[in-house]
Amino acid sequence: MITVRHISKHYGTHTALHDVTFHVNKGEILAFLGPNGAGKTTTMRILACFMPPSEGMADVAGFSCLEQPMEVKRRIGYLPETPPLYRELTVDEYLTFVGRVKGLTPQRVESRKAGVMEQVGLGPVRRRVIGCLSRGYRQRVGLAQALIHDPPVLILDEPTAGLDPQQIIAMRTLIKSLAGSRTVILSTHVLPEATAVCDRVVILHRGRIAAEDSPERLSARLRQATQISLTVKQPAPDWHEHLKTIPGVLNVVPGSAPNACIIDCHPQRDLREDLSHCVVSRGYGLLELKPLSLSLEDVFLHLTQQDEPSGAPAPDRPGRGSPGQHERVSA
């Protein structure tokens, strides 16, 4: 549904995007993750035909963003970070206006307007002036304008920015419900959002793709060893040394809780039975034994901070690094 091939974007001597390539399947929800200035919004503006790339090609629904921008715009719904609202209009008036601008007949506008307002939960405020609505409802109006012409592709830039926790949950649920019927690209720097709603994640760092895969596979591929958390009741003073003698145990370090430890194990060996046997046979009293895995936050920090000076944020510098400096993960 969406194909991006080697796109770059230069602003004078500054490179915002460098050789970005990815593909989004029909019905898939893809998240762009990255720190501020990583290139997320620039990529989405190129796909929305808001600006051309300096190099490379991008196709949406079989149409070129460079050569057929009007055809692309007919097939996408775009919600920028700040929704394009006319605050003096009512919700009903605004959606009528947007529908007509997007080429819908008056009859089609009315039918789509009713369906979209029900879908995004705008029925109770349809007669209210947009400027008097809460931030959450304004964000819903912005999503409604992106859906009004029934596009097969949605591009959402920070769709939950500025919302309260309840509004964020409602927006995530709504976006998740669109999976299958529409292809969705959303950008975020809120990591739980990607885990909650997306099938696949593209992590951008300094205008390059640092990793691309599902959240689960990203964690699995970046994990150097399987980690197990172990808690016992009455350990011996040298119990860590006893655990290290088990074949496949790479290291043992103290845990955060009393009588707990974290065990690094060989990634291709399941040592839970051996560990439990060691603990029980020596009378330590087994309280807890559970495998650990990297969270998406761990992966994100690993990829975006591994070459940063300690305590210093990463500025967006053109030409920094090469593909080999980042851990590229792809399906």
PDB file of all heavy atoms in Angstrom, residues 20 45 47 55 65 71 133 135 139 162 184 221 244 261 270 295 321 328-329:
ATOM      1  N   VAL A  20      16.049   6.769   3.468  1.00  0.00           N
ATOM      2  CA  VAL A  20      15.030   6.029   4.220  1.00  0.00           C
ATOM      3  C   VAL A  20      14.233   5.149   3.260  1.00  0.00           C
ATOM      4  O   VAL A  20      13.716   5.620   2.241  1.00  0.00           O
ATOM      5  CB  VAL A  20      14.088   7.004   4.956  1.00  0.00           C
ATOM      6  CG1 VAL A  20      12.879   6.273   5.524  1.00  0.00           C
ATOM      7  CG2 VAL A  20      14.852   7.710   6.072  1.00  0.00           C
ATOM      8  N   ARG A  45       5.103  14.277   5.989  1.00  0.00           N
ATOM      9  CA  ARG A  45       4.762  15.364   5.077  1.00  0.00           C
ATOM     10  C   ARG A  45       5.090  15.000   3.633  1.00  0.00           C
ATOM     11  O   ARG A  45       4.368  15.406   2.704  1.00  0.00           O
ATOM     12  CB  ARG A  45       5.497  16.636   5.489  1.00  0.00           C
ATOM     13  CG  ARG A  45       4.943  17.271   6.750  1.00  0.00           C
ATOM     14  CD  ARG A  45       5.737  18.492   7.173  1.00  0.00           C
ATOM     15  NE  ARG A  45       5.111  19.160   8.306  1.00  0.00           N
ATOM     16  CZ  ARG A  45       5.627  20.204   8.929  1.00  0.00           C
ATOM     17  NH1 ARG A  45       6.798  20.700   8.519  1.00  0.00           N
ATOM     18  NH2 ARG A  45       4.994  20.749   9.952  1.00  0.00           N
ATOM     19  N   LEU A  47       4.950  11.892   2.444  1.00  0.00           N
ATOM     20  CA  LEU A  47       3.905  10.940   2.054  1.00  0.00           C
ATOM     21  C   LEU A  47       2.563  11.629   1.816  1.00  0.00           C
ATOM     22  O   LEU A  47       1.761  11.168   1.008  1.00  0.00           O
ATOM     23  CB  LEU A  47       3.750   9.866   3.136  1.00  0.00           C
ATOM     24  CG  LEU A  47       4.925   8.904   3.298  1.00  0.00           C
ATOM     25  CD1 LEU A  47       4.688   7.964   4.471  1.00  0.00           C
ATOM     26  CD2 LEU A  47       5.141   8.105   2.012  1.00  0.00           C
ATOM     27  N   GLU A  55      15.611  13.514  -2.638  1.00  0.00           N
ATOM     28  CA  GLU A  55      16.040  12.341  -3.401  1.00  0.00           C
ATOM     29  C   GLU A  55      15.088  11.205  -3.074  1.00  0.00           C
ATOM     30  O   GLU A  55      14.449  11.176  -2.034  1.00  0.00           O
ATOM     31  CB  GLU A  55      17.471  11.943  -3.026  1.00  0.00           C
ATOM     32  CG  GLU A  55      18.513  13.017  -3.240  1.00  0.00           C
ATOM     33  CD  GLU A  55      19.797  12.730  -2.477  1.00  0.00           C
ATOM     34  OE1 GLU A  55      19.937  11.598  -1.967  1.00  0.00           O
ATOM     35  OE2 GLU A  55      20.634  13.637  -2.374  1.00  0.00           O
ATOM     36  N   CYS A  65       4.049   9.985  -5.202  1.00  0.00           N
ATOM     37  CA  CYS A  65       3.895  11.250  -4.477  1.00  0.00           C
ATOM     38  C   CYS A  65       4.500  12.414  -5.259  1.00  0.00           C
ATOM     39  O   CYS A  65       4.074  13.564  -5.088  1.00  0.00           O
ATOM     40  CB  CYS A  65       4.548  11.146  -3.102  1.00  0.00           C
ATOM     41  SG  CYS A  65       3.746   9.989  -1.971  1.00  0.00           S
ATOM     42  N   GLU A  71      -3.708  12.419  -7.001  1.00  0.00           N
ATOM     43  CA  GLU A  71      -4.247  11.072  -6.833  1.00  0.00           C
ATOM     44  C   GLU A  71      -3.904  10.525  -5.450  1.00  0.00           C
ATOM     45  O   GLU A  71      -4.711   9.831  -4.821  1.00  0.00           O
ATOM     46  CB  GLU A  71      -3.696  10.148  -7.921  1.00  0.00           C
ATOM     47  CG  GLU A  71      -4.163  10.486  -9.328  1.00  0.00           C
ATOM     48  CD  GLU A  71      -5.676  10.356  -9.469  1.00  0.00           C
ATOM     49  OE1 GLU A  71      -6.286   9.532  -8.755  1.00  0.00           O
ATOM     50  OE2 GLU A  71      -6.249  11.095 -10.303  1.00  0.00           O
ATOM     51  N   LEU A 133     -14.671  23.606  22.200  1.00  0.00           N
ATOM     52  CA  LEU A 133     -14.511  22.205  22.561  1.00  0.00           C
ATOM     53  C   LEU A 133     -13.215  21.985  23.340  1.00  0.00           C
ATOM     54  O   LEU A 133     -12.263  22.767  23.246  1.00  0.00           O
ATOM     55  CB  LEU A 133     -14.477  21.338  21.297  1.00  0.00           C
ATOM     56  CG  LEU A 133     -15.724  21.327  20.426  1.00  0.00           C
ATOM     57  CD1 LEU A 133     -15.500  20.445  19.198  1.00  0.00           C
ATOM     58  CD2 LEU A 133     -16.938  20.850  21.207  1.00  0.00           C
ATOM     59  N   ARG A 135      -9.651  19.906  24.211  1.00  0.00           N
ATOM     60  CA  ARG A 135      -8.580  19.445  23.328  1.00  0.00           C
ATOM     61  C   ARG A 135      -8.880  18.049  22.780  1.00  0.00           C
ATOM     62  O   ARG A 135      -8.628  17.745  21.618  1.00  0.00           O
ATOM     63  CB  ARG A 135      -7.251  19.446  24.078  1.00  0.00           C
ATOM     64  CG  ARG A 135      -6.069  18.852  23.307  1.00  0.00           C
ATOM     65  CD  ARG A 135      -5.746  19.669  22.082  1.00  0.00           C
ATOM     66  NE  ARG A 135      -4.731  19.027  21.256  1.00  0.00           N
ATOM     67  CZ  ARG A 135      -3.435  19.304  21.298  1.00  0.00           C
ATOM     68  NH1 ARG A 135      -2.978  20.201  22.156  1.00  0.00           N
ATOM     69  NH2 ARG A 135      -2.594  18.695  20.487  1.00  0.00           N
ATOM     70  N   GLN A 139      -9.278  17.091  18.829  1.00  0.00           N
ATOM     71  CA  GLN A 139      -8.469  16.063  18.178  1.00  0.00           C
ATOM     72  C   GLN A 139      -9.364  15.071  17.435  1.00  0.00           C
ATOM     73  O   GLN A 139      -9.021  14.605  16.340  1.00  0.00           O
ATOM     74  CB  GLN A 139      -7.621  15.336  19.224  1.00  0.00           C
ATOM     75  CG  GLN A 139      -6.422  14.596  18.658  1.00  0.00           C
ATOM     76  CD  GLN A 139      -5.282  15.523  18.268  1.00  0.00           C
ATOM     77  OE1 GLN A 139      -5.415  16.737  18.300  1.00  0.00           O
ATOM     78  NE2 GLN A 139      -4.158  14.941  17.871  1.00  0.00           N
ATOM     79  N   GLY A 162      -1.052  16.074  23.797  1.00  0.00           N
ATOM     80  CA  GLY A 162      -1.830  17.021  24.578  1.00  0.00           C
ATOM     81  C   GLY A 162      -3.104  16.477  25.186  1.00  0.00           C
ATOM     82  O   GLY A 162      -3.836  17.225  25.836  1.00  0.00           O
ATOM     83  N   VAL A 184      -2.589   2.474   8.277  1.00  0.00           N
ATOM     84  CA  VAL A 184      -2.374   3.617   9.162  1.00  0.00           C
ATOM     85  C   VAL A 184      -0.887   3.768   9.447  1.00  0.00           C
ATOM     86  O   VAL A 184      -0.204   2.800   9.799  1.00  0.00           O
ATOM     87  CB  VAL A 184      -3.142   3.454  10.497  1.00  0.00           C
ATOM     88  CG1 VAL A 184      -2.918   4.675  11.384  1.00  0.00           C
ATOM     89  CG2 VAL A 184      -4.624   3.228  10.239  1.00  0.00           C
ATOM     90  N   ARG A 221      15.482  -9.749  19.105  1.00  0.00           N
ATOM     91  CA  ARG A 221      16.702  -9.719  18.297  1.00  0.00           C
ATOM     92  C   ARG A 221      17.813  -8.914  18.948  1.00  0.00           C
ATOM     93  O   ARG A 221      18.989  -9.165  18.710  1.00  0.00           O
ATOM     94  CB  ARG A 221      16.390  -9.150  16.916  1.00  0.00           C
ATOM     95  CG  ARG A 221      15.461 -10.043  16.108  1.00  0.00           C
ATOM     96  CD  ARG A 221      15.332  -9.541  14.696  1.00  0.00           C
ATOM     97  NE  ARG A 221      14.364 -10.323  13.962  1.00  0.00           N
ATOM     98  CZ  ARG A 221      14.264 -10.331  12.644  1.00  0.00           C
ATOM     99  NH1 ARG A 221      15.082  -9.598  11.924  1.00  0.00           N
ATOM    100  NH2 ARG A 221      13.342 -11.063  12.044  1.00  0.00           N
ATOM    101  N   LYS A 244      26.476 -19.864  39.252  1.00  0.00           N
ATOM    102  CA  LYS A 244      27.379 -19.684  38.118  1.00  0.00           C
ATOM    103  C   LYS A 244      27.974 -20.999  37.621  1.00  0.00           C
ATOM    104  O   LYS A 244      28.476 -21.078  36.495  1.00  0.00           O
ATOM    105  CB  LYS A 244      28.507 -18.714  38.488  1.00  0.00           C
ATOM    106  CG  LYS A 244      28.058 -17.274  38.661  1.00  0.00           C
ATOM    107  CD  LYS A 244      29.232 -16.384  39.072  1.00  0.00           C
ATOM    108  CE  LYS A 244      28.785 -14.951  39.288  1.00  0.00           C
ATOM    109  NZ  LYS A 244      29.927 -14.077  39.712  1.00  0.00           N
ATOM    110  N   CYS A 261      18.249 -12.077  42.417  1.00  0.00           N
ATOM    111  CA  CYS A 261      19.354 -11.889  41.490  1.00  0.00           C
ATOM    112  C   CYS A 261      18.836 -11.960  40.060  1.00  0.00           C
ATOM    113  O   CYS A 261      17.742 -12.468  39.802  1.00  0.00           O
ATOM    114  CB  CYS A 261      20.454 -12.931  41.712  1.00  0.00           C
ATOM    115  SG  CYS A 261      19.947 -14.617  41.324  1.00  0.00           S
ATOM    116  N   ASP A 270      17.239 -23.220  27.813  1.00  0.00           N
ATOM    117  CA  ASP A 270      16.236 -22.948  28.844  1.00  0.00           C
ATOM    118  C   ASP A 270      16.753 -23.535  30.155  1.00  0.00           C
ATOM    119  O   ASP A 270      16.778 -24.765  30.331  1.00  0.00           O
ATOM    120  CB  ASP A 270      14.892 -23.570  28.461  1.00  0.00           C
ATOM    121  CG  ASP A 270      13.775 -23.189  29.424  1.00  0.00           C
ATOM    122  OD1 ASP A 270      14.079 -22.626  30.493  1.00  0.00           O
ATOM    123  OD2 ASP A 270      12.600 -23.443  29.101  1.00  0.00           O
ATOM    124  N   SER A 295      11.941  -4.363  27.095  1.00  0.00           N
ATOM    125  CA  SER A 295      10.748  -3.640  26.687  1.00  0.00           C
ATOM    126  C   SER A 295      11.073  -2.809  25.456  1.00  0.00           C
ATOM    127  O   SER A 295      12.230  -2.623  25.071  1.00  0.00           O
ATOM    128  CB  SER A 295      10.270  -2.720  27.813  1.00  0.00           C
ATOM    129  OG  SER A 295      11.215  -1.677  28.017  1.00  0.00           O
ATOM    130  N   GLY A 321      27.320   9.606  11.033  1.00  0.00           N
ATOM    131  CA  GLY A 321      27.131   8.170  11.114  1.00  0.00           C
ATOM    132  C   GLY A 321      26.967   7.523   9.765  1.00  0.00           C
ATOM    133  O   GLY A 321      26.931   8.153   8.721  1.00  0.00           O
ATOM    134  N   ARG A 328      20.543  -2.174  12.597  1.00  0.00           N
ATOM    135  CA  ARG A 328      19.428  -2.265  11.665  1.00  0.00           C
ATOM    136  C   ARG A 328      18.757  -3.603  11.831  1.00  0.00           C
ATOM    137  O   ARG A 328      19.388  -4.652  11.719  1.00  0.00           O
ATOM    138  CB  ARG A 328      19.934  -2.113  10.232  1.00  0.00           C
ATOM    139  CG  ARG A 328      18.835  -2.183   9.174  1.00  0.00           C
ATOM    140  CD  ARG A 328      17.885  -0.988   9.316  1.00  0.00           C
ATOM    141  NE  ARG A 328      16.839  -1.049   8.303  1.00  0.00           N
ATOM    142  CZ  ARG A 328      16.935  -0.455   7.124  1.00  0.00           C
ATOM    143  NH1 ARG A 328      18.006   0.249   6.817  1.00  0.00           N
ATOM    144  NH2 ARG A 328      15.962  -0.531   6.253  1.00  0.00           N
ATOM    145  N   VAL A 329      17.485  -3.615  12.138  1.00  0.00           N
ATOM    146  CA  VAL A 329      16.721  -4.836  12.339  1.00  0.00           C
ATOM    147  C   VAL A 329      15.571  -4.823  11.384  1.00  0.00           C
ATOM    148  O   VAL A 329      14.794  -3.879  11.351  1.00  0.00           O
ATOM    149  CB  VAL A 329      16.203  -4.947  13.787  1.00  0.00           C
ATOM    150  CG1 VAL A 329      15.473  -6.258  13.978  1.00  0.00           C
ATOM    151  CG2 VAL A 329      17.338  -4.840  14.793  1.00  0.00           C
TER     152      VAL A 329
END
